[in-house]
Amino acid sequence: MTVTVERGARVSRKHEDPKHPRPRDSYALFLLPGVLAFLAVVVLPFAMNTYVSFTDWQGVGDLEWTGLANYRELMDDSEFWESFRHSMFMVVAMAVVPTALGLVLAAALFDYVGKHFGSRTVAVLRACFYLPQVLPIAVAGIVWSWILAPDNGTLNELLGAVGLSSWQQDWLGNPDLALYSVMGVMVWVQLGFPLVVFMAGLQRVDPQLYEAAELDGAGWWRRFWHITLPQIRPETYVVLTWCTIAALKVFGAVYVLTKGGPGGATNVPSYFSFTTFFEKTQVGYGAAISTVLTVIILALSLIGLKLQTRAEEGA
Amino acid sequence: MSTALRRYPVLVALTVAALFMIVPFLIVAVNAVKSPAEYSQNGPLSLPEGLYLDGLKDFWERVDYTQKLINSVLISGAVAVCAVVLSVLNAYAIGIGRVKGRTWVLAFFVLANMLPQEALVYPVYYLSKEVGLYDTRLSVIIVFTVIQAAFGTYLLASVLGQFPREIIEAARIDGANKWQVLWRIVVPVSRPTLGVLLVFFFIWTWNEFLLPLVMLISNDNQTVSVALGVLQGQRLMDATMTNAAALLGVLPAIVFFLLFQRTLTRGIAVGAVK
């Protein structure tokens, strides 16, 4: 009964003021705990962070309003720009490369392996690619810092064993190499996510499309390019958005693998803000860094959502 | 014939790539059971001569791994349950209750979910000190319950938006109130989705690093991820110790993976595309 009244609320304005529905008809109470918790844990801290970014607060004592001083300082801070430049490398390692590789691998698994070797083989291979995704990033960092260690590290030992001793490097300790080493680790960490999303997306592609293309003599690359790619465009946008955001936020891997070093060679904004907060205790400045990071991430999220909705409407 | 020949190279290439993904796990496992002497003599690539478990045992005792496991299970379990409950309440109001301004409420949750934790971490640290929750497991449980529930609300609201309304209407006609409809109808019918969320929240919280690193400083409260990450960051470990740490960190992840493989791989796709 009540439900019908509610659904007809717009129609029966005479009986009920739509702005003030009677409490027993409203579901708003169910929202109350969630909204309150949100205000306390997300909105209030975020507002505080933004406010603090306009002060020169050190974490103790009074806050002194300094306006845009922190932001002006950021503009001239080469460490800050450097950390954002490294973020772009992380986007390549965590979004661009895994998405591209994930697309090819997912299509190959779906199209070739699935058809000719059965779904069990596909499931096992998919599981291997996905495994690193379940690992805490701190643990992945431990595993890789040991593999990449200069003395007795597995990678160097392996290179020595196959007669490539001249290729041995201090992978994480060499300022020219460290960023690329971290990128390599991140590709390994991230690859499983796009792969699994794409494989799920491929399930809804009409197999007749492939059959028709195959009958017309289209090779694998042509089918990939003209069927697979356009069909899973919505997934591609989702994956790119999520992975780009993850890349901008990357913290644990940097903390465990390199601590931003050597000499800031692998510093990223989130690690930079962390050290500014807790090691240099320049809370105002750290808040400004994280505010800039937030603005960039939210802007990217909105663009990603837009592209996704457009792709879904077009599909 | 020629097509059959062309298929195998693809399979071989994919298998090699898949092996490359799991090789790190294998060499960690192999080296965690070598003695330090054996390790320094034969290096990381040799097969272990015997099963040497003292390294694992030493490391376990040194970091009090039992306590870390308890902390991780406690925090992740509490977050998973609380966040699912909170998500269900939110999504019930948005998806089924169609509360006024629900689009805005939903947008609010989505945006909050995308906020980087870096923009919350210092105020959360400061506020938790003010209210006496700093360095307690409860503080981390509260924060992650809210953060995970943001995603849960986003996902569940669209699932519940398509909930068959006839069932709800029928129950209401039979005299059930909203609370009863929620617990007796909506929750049981949505159980599969809630299960996926539960698994995800558990594992995501287990893997979290930044906030627990800041909030849990005492040894008795640290999670597995934080304890291992901090040790590694301090570079206090030798190679055998590192391997023991890595193996003990990897094992729970592998157990989750084997237990929840289907849920994870299916759920991640659902979650991402919703």
Side-chain angles (χ1 to χ4, degrees), chain A residues 18 24 116 145-146 257 270, chain B residues 39 100 118 178 232 235:
Chain A
R24 74 181 182 89
H116 303 299
S145 61
W146 167 72
L257 281 173
S270 69
Chain B
Y39 183 87
K100 280 179 149 298
E118 288 78 9
K178 289 189 191 106
Q232 177 66 23
R235 311 234 172 275

Side-chain angles (χ1 to χ4, degrees), chain B residues 202-220:
Chain B
F202 186 89
I203 293 177
W204 285 346
T205 311
W206 186 285
N207 293 352
E208 277 291 346
F209 190 66
L210 172 63
L211 270 168
L213 174 73
V214 170
M215 301 295 288
L216 304 172
I217 45 154
S218 68
N219 260 319
D220 289 345

Side-chain angles (χ1 to χ4, degrees), chain A residues 95-107 187 191 194-195 198:
Chain A
V96 179
V97 173
T99 304
L101 272 181
L103 270 169
V104 175
L105 286 171
V187 171
L191 184 58
L195 181 85
F198 290 144

Side-chain angles (χ1 to χ4, degrees), chain A residues 157, chain B residues 27 30-31 34 38-39 41-49:
Chain A
E157 291 277 320
Chain B
I27 49 177
V30 164
N31 284 286
K34 285 182 191 166
E38 194 191 337
Y39 183 87
Q41 205 181 354
N42 299 338
L45 294 176
S46 67
L47 284 171
E49 286 161 3

